[in-house]
């Protein structure tokens, strides 16, 4: 796994670099396919909630721009998160390579863990992932491998809580669920 000098062996480095190139090509292809789908069937866009997401799939912003009935607000939050995921930046391949290289040098590179993450998509997709709930049980998020699949909110809480507090609680709970679904800390 590591050379006598303490760094990763050339075959490990070459393997990680080849993996990164394949991952970049796959992401580009997926984005192209999504663009083609969006051209055929335009996605439903939110009109009262805005969200932004970073390359790691974590929400960086969630803004509720107007008061809505609880069921409509819950739907708008879901649309905003889906829209943010669609627009999120591509992960920085150089940053990933640097992280893997640093882990290989330190002897902490967990190839089994990486492979488990890669193949976790091979699981039974008909089974719902476990839901992540906030401490007050007002927000429930289902996420699989870093992708938010569903968000539900207590409608009484939505109706009686300020837009700012709802946005903050949803953002925190979504990020906790995404992080938990990827095994990152």
């Amino acid at each position: 796994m590591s050379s006598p000098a303490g760094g990763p062996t050339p075959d490990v480095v070459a393997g990680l670099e080849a993996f990164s190139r394949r991952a970049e090509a796959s992401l580009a292809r997926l984005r192209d396919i999504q663009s083609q789908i969006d051209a055929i069937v335009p996605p439903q866009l939110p009109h009262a909630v805005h969200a932004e997401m970073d390359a790691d799939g974590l929400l960086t912003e969630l803004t509720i721009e107007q008061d809505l009935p609880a069921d409509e607000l819950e739907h708008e939050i879901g649309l905003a998160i889906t829209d943010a995921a669609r627009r999120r930046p591509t992960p920085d391949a150089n940053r990933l390579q640097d992280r893997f290289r640093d882990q290989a040098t330190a002897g902490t590179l967990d190839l089994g863990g990486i492979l488990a993450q890669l193949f976790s998509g091979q699981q039974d997709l008909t089974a719902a992932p476990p839901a992540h709930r906030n401490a007050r049980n007002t927000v429930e998020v289902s996420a699989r491998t870093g992708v938010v699949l569903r968000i539900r909110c207590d409608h009484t809480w939505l109706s009686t809580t300020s837009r700012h507090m709802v946005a903050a609680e949803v953002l925190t709970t979504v990020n906790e669920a995404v992080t938990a679904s990827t095994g990152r800390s």
Side-chain angles (χ1 to χ4, degrees), residues 40-56:
I40 295 169
V41 180
Q44 188 177 7
L45 298 174
H47 67 275
V49 178
H50 176 76
E52 292 294 333
M53 192 173 278
D54 68 13
D56 292 326

Side-chain angles (χ1 to χ4, degrees), residues 24-25 83 94 110 118 125 130 159:
E24 287 177 42
D83 181 54
N94 291 330
D110 178 12
L118 287 174
L125 297 178
S159 299

Side-chain angles (χ1 to χ4, degrees), residues 102-140:
D102 291 345
Q103 289 174 347
T105 301
T108 59
L109 183 65
D110 178 12
L111 291 177
I114 293 169
L115 291 173
Q117 262 190 324
L118 287 174
F119 295 115
S120 65
Q122 303 300 322
Q123 58 193 312
D124 178 11
L125 297 178
T126 60
H132 179 85
R133 291 180 179 84
N134 65 345
R136 291 187 296 273
N137 279 333
T138 53
V139 181
E140 176 184 288

Side-chain angles (χ1 to χ4, degrees), residues 13 18 22 33-34 48 61 74 78 105 109 117 130 162 165 170 177 183:
V13 171
R22 286 192 306 273
I33 291 168
Q34 184 65 53
E61 177 186 339
E74 180 181 63
T105 301
L109 183 65
Q117 262 190 324
S162 73
M165 292 302 295
V170 169

